[in-house]
Structure formats: structure tokens, C-alpha cells
Amino acid sequence: MAHHLAPDGHLVAGFQLGADRLSLSEYDRLASEAGLKLDTRYATWERDPWYAESGYAVSVHSHS
């Protein structure tokens, strides 16, 4: 997805967190390897603040 992102664009991705799912740290590592930087993160699509115990993450990335 990073390859298709416009230079001034943002990638917004949300997914459920859990032991049997992609971890947030692994997702962040993969995004970084793809040349993306984390701009902000929320706990819901309504932009509720993210915290470590959130069961969901919505991450907003842009090109680094």
C-alpha cells in the first residue's frame, strides 16, 4: 500500500488487537520497513484516544 500512496497522502488502517492477531509492534515494524511513519493512532474510528489496553487500533501513517 505504501507504494501506491501519494507523496502527501496518508494511509489509515484499523484492526482488532489480540494474542492470535498481528501485533501492533509487528505492524509498526512492517510499516516502517515500507517507508511509512506513524503520524497518530486512535482506539476507534471515532478518534477516541489510543492506550495500551485498547482492543483496537486505527493508525495514520505518511511517507517518512
Side-chain angles (χ1 to χ4, degrees):
M1 291 185 283
H3 175 74
H4 298 286
L5 191 62
D8 60 345
H10 290 87
L11 172 66
V12 181
F15 58 93
Q16 198 169 30
L17 304 171
D20 60 337
R21 301 184 182 273
L22 178 67
S23 73
L24 205 49
S25 60
E26 179 70 2
Y27 172 78
D28 288 342
R29 184 186 67 75
L30 293 169
S32 179
E33 286 181 5
L36 298 174
K37 69 176 177 77
L38 180 65
D39 293 327
T40 192
R41 177 166 285 143
Y42 302 104
T44 68
W45 289 104
E46 289 78 25
R47 295 186 229 165
D48 291 333
W50 188 85
Y51 54 94
E53 293 79 27
S54 296
Y56 199 85
V58 178
S59 303
V60 181
H61 288 84
S62 60
H63 288 285
S64 49

